[in-house]
Amino acid sequence: MQDPLDIETKAQKLSAALEKHLGVKGRSLAHRVRRAGRRLPRRIREHAHLLAEADAVRDNIKISRQYDAAQIARAYEHVSDYLATIDRADARRGRILSILAVLAFNFILLFVAFVVFLRMRGIV
């Protein structure tokens, strides 16, 4: 049987890590995991959902017995290890560079179309 206080502390730590590393806010761990969505890999998302389910039923003793303590500990370890590797500033830089790359490509495409247009008109 899993200690309810242990699940609660793990859920609080995981919620704080989700907010710190991904900037995800929400009412509960389940809400934060849902909002993180595809920013988490599938396996990590499954582990996080398991922790959120265990957190949601931690006060119901009969249902909380269905969750294996070792499985919950492993899931918490996997999710927290993954979140520790995320650098929020680097992700922001990557998003900005991606947007700039798309803009540069569109400007190049527009310039080529303009030159082709001028060539067809006989100006260039």
Side-chain angles (χ1 to χ4, degrees):
M1 185 172 127
Q2 183 75 21
D3 182 25
L5 293 176
D6 187 39
I7 293 174
E8 185 177 6
T9 56
K10 286 179 181 179
Q12 288 173 351
K13 288 179 183 178
L14 200 58
S15 284
L18 280 169
E19 185 172 355
K20 179 183 175 189
H21 295 285
L22 291 179
V24 176
K25 295 181 181 180
R27 298 181 298 274
S28 64
L29 177 61
H31 190 246
R32 288 178 191 225
V33 169
R34 205 173 2 193
R35 291 198 59 185
R38 291 185 177 250
R39 286 186 269 178
L40 296 173
R42 184 173 20 144
R43 291 272 183 214
I44 302 299
R45 200 174 336 137
E46 289 171 2
H47 290 307
H49 280 297
L50 174 70
L51 286 164
E53 289 171 7
D55 181 46
V57 298
R58 74 174 179 259
D59 294 331
N60 189 331
I61 295 171
K62 288 184 179 181
I63 296 176
S64 66
R65 287 182 186 163
Q66 295 176 357
Y67 292 96
D68 182 27
Q71 187 179 13
I72 298 242
R74 267 194 315 270
Y76 173 74
E77 190 175 316
H78 286 301
V79 176
S80 60
D81 287 347
Y82 175 76
L83 289 175
T85 63
I86 295 176
D87 183 16
R88 203 166 164 191
D90 187 43
R92 187 180 309 119
R93 262 182 262 130
R95 260 193 322 270
I96 290 171
L97 286 175
S98 175
I99 291 170
L100 290 175
V102 168
L103 284 173
F105 178 75
N106 287 337
F107 281 131
I108 290 171
L109 203 61
L110 184 65
F111 178 74
V112 168
F114 184 67
V115 168
V116 168
F117 174 74
L118 289 178
R119 185 105 171 145
M120 290 176 74
R121 300 281 274 175
I123 298 173
V124 175

